[in-house]
Amino acid sequence: MKNSKKENLAKTPISYKDAGVDVEAGYKAVDLIKKKVRATFDENVLGDIGAFGGLYSIAGFNMKNPVLVSGTDGVGTKLRLAFLQNKHDTVGIDLVAMSVNDVVCQGARPLFFLDYFACGKLLPESMAEVVGGIADGCRESGCALLGGETAEMPGFYENGEYDLAGFCVGIADRDKLITGKNIVAGDVLIGLRSSGVHSNGFSLVRKVVTEEELKGELGRELLTPTKIYVKSVLALNDEFDIKGVSHITGGGFIENIPRILPNEDLCVKIDLTNYEVPKLFKLLAERTNLDTRGLYNTFNMGTGMVLCVDKKDADKLIKRANELGEEAYYLGEIKKKEDTCLGECRIGFKE
């Protein structure tokens, strides 16, 4: 009898859909995103959506010694806010921003972007919102959404939840790369205002902000997408000798700014009296009860990008950055290493 039952079960068809993967939903999702994805294409994109590999020509770039510059990242637990608010059209911008802002730190122009979307059950409309945001971010940064991957993984992710990852490839002339190697004591740091918390620190945010608040006005403010600085930084780099650029992400000022320093003899002195910390970060400071170093080692505190230039160029660069739509301000300076830099962190604050 047992053998007979096994034989009967084996004859019952079990489809991929029975296992939780709906390929038809995948086809629908692709149809929903085609128009937005194609809108990111430029003359260098070869082929169309659906090929196994994306093709991008660099033959037309007039560079003596072209170098490809790449960056990859995700959105992190900020995605929880998208789930709570059922709002999925901004986290795709975050995904693009986290990579293209890294790439432009080396003075590279982003060329193309690829994304990875993983979920438990594919909801075509939600996925189309996410990819629509990715396409918006690509257009804002001037790169093509060259391809991507959608993975439906039942039992691995909860229904209604997803994860995102992506990467960008840019190009720069090797002789014009921003490397930090020419930074010296006396150079000045210029800050560019952030649009909010961006995409780092949300594990702590979610610990000190209630779920009810995350669903309301505060949550909507926290969901503001990461600012994309690509066009402004590239324009400024064409006009000024920018020696170093730091994207303020995980680890805040303390981890990211010293990364542009060329040697161990230099440190950074940040002047916190010269710009106003946004109200949102003041709220987070109250909720977390962190000291200055703790806050600036976790959040961007209102500054999303930091540029290092010769002191003689600082005022002109600030003026030009403001003309380009940024809110720019003097942030600090490069100094010879001092005891006040607290050991290996190599960064001090004036409050």
Side-chain angles (χ1 to χ4, degrees):
M1 290 294 292
K2 290 182 179 178
N3 289 337
S4 176
K5 285 182 179 179
K6 285 183 178 179
E7 288 175 5
N8 289 335
L9 284 172
K11 292 177 181 178
T12 303
I14 301 175
S15 69
Y16 209 5
K17 190 172 184 178
D18 293 327
V21 178
D22 187 352
V23 293
E24 295 296 330
Y27 301 152
K28 181 180 179 181
V30 171
D31 286 336
L32 289 173
I33 65 175
K34 280 182 177 179
K35 186 176 181 180
K36 276 221 161 189
V37 173
R38 287 196 182 105
T40 71
F41 288 4
D42 60 22
E43 67 277 7
N44 299 304
V45 176
L46 309 179
D48 199 2
I49 299 167
F52 288 100
L55 305 175
Y56 194 95
S57 173
I58 59 171
F61 289 89
N62 185 24
M63 294 183 180
K64 181 180 178 181
N65 194 357
V67 175
L68 296 179
V69 182
S70 61
T72 184
D73 214 326
V75 179
T77 62
K78 186 176 185 178
L79 293 175
R80 285 286 177 192
L81 276 69
F83 305 155
L84 286 171
Q85 297 181 38
N86 194 29
K87 181 176 172 57
H88 309 283
D89 59 342
T90 61
V91 289
I93 300 174
D94 285 295
L95 182 67
V96 175
M98 294 302 287
S99 288
V100 297
N101 285 344
D102 278 353
V103 164
V104 81
C105 286
Q106 267 64 59
R109 169 192 160 182
L111 299 178
F112 57 84
F113 187 86
L114 282 86
D115 71 278
Y116 174 76
F117 178 100
C119 60
K121 179 177 175 59
L122 183 60
L123 303 174
E125 290 77 13
S126 295
M127 187 260 198
E129 286 185 45
V130 173
V131 177
I134 294 172
D136 290 341
C138 286
R139 284 198 302 276
E140 188 175 343
S141 55
C143 67
L145 179 50
L146 197 58
E149 172 65 12
T150 302
E152 192 172 14
M153 301 161 65
F156 199 83
Y157 294 97
E158 295 292 331
N159 288 344
E161 298 185 357
Y162 53 82
D163 197 11
L164 298 175
F167 76 90
C168 170
V169 174
I171 193 168
D173 197 318
R174 186 168 183 173
D175 294 336
K176 297 180 181 179
L177 285 170
I178 300 173
T179 64
K181 67 181 181 180
N182 295 323
I183 293 175
V184 296
D187 286 338
V188 169
L189 297 175
I190 306 299
L192 302 183
R193 180 71 74 181
S194 69
S195 56
V197 181
H198 286 181
S199 296
N200 298 102
F202 276 90
S203 293
L204 179 55
V205 169
R206 289 168 43 243
K207 192 172 181 66
V208 298
V209 178
T210 67
E211 185 169 313
E212 184 177 347
E213 288 176 313
L214 291 175
K215 290 179 178 178
E217 184 178 346
L218 178 56
R220 288 189 289 276
E221 183 178 1
L222 286 164
L223 200 56
T224 301
T226 304
K227 184 172 179 57
I228 293 174
Y229 298 93
V230 169
K231 291 182 179 178
S232 295
V233 172
L234 290 178
L236 291 169
N237 194 40
D238 283 341
E239 298 179 37
F240 299 91
D241 178 19
I242 296 180
K243 297 185 177 185
V245 181
S246 177
H247 183 202
I248 308 303
T249 55
F253 280 38
I254 289 176
E255 179 180 332
N256 291 293
I257 296 178
R259 292 167 64 181
I260 67 174
L261 301 179
N263 58 63
E264 297 290 329
D265 296 327
L266 298 175
C267 69
V268 175
K269 192 64 173 287
I270 301 296
D271 187 349
L272 298 182
T273 67
N274 211 49
Y275 84 105
E276 180 70 20
V277 173
K279 290 181 180 179
L280 176 58
F281 293 98
K282 292 179 180 178
L283 173 66
L284 292 173
E286 292 174 5
R287 295 284 182 93
T288 62
N289 200 33
L290 288 170
D291 63 10
T292 298
R293 301 196 72 81
L295 288 168
Y296 281 85
N297 198 28
T298 306
F299 303 114
N300 67 59
M301 298 303 290
T303 301
M305 193 74 85
V306 176
L307 314 181
C308 182
V309 295
D310 190 294
K311 188 174 184 177
K312 65 179 175 57
D313 292 329
D315 290 342
K316 292 179 182 178
L317 186 141
I318 289 173
K319 180 181 178 182
R320 182 60 180 136
N322 290 332
E323 290 173 350
L324 292 168
E326 303 295 341
E327 184 179 343
Y329 39 84
Y330 170 81
L331 190 65
E333 63 180 310
I334 307 299
K335 303 185 68 131
K336 288 192 176 295
K337 193 168 182 180
E338 303 169 344
D339 293 339
T340 55
C341 291
L342 302 181
E344 292 303 314
C345 72
R346 300 171 72 193
I347 183 167
F349 294 92
K350 175 184 176 184
E351 299 182 62

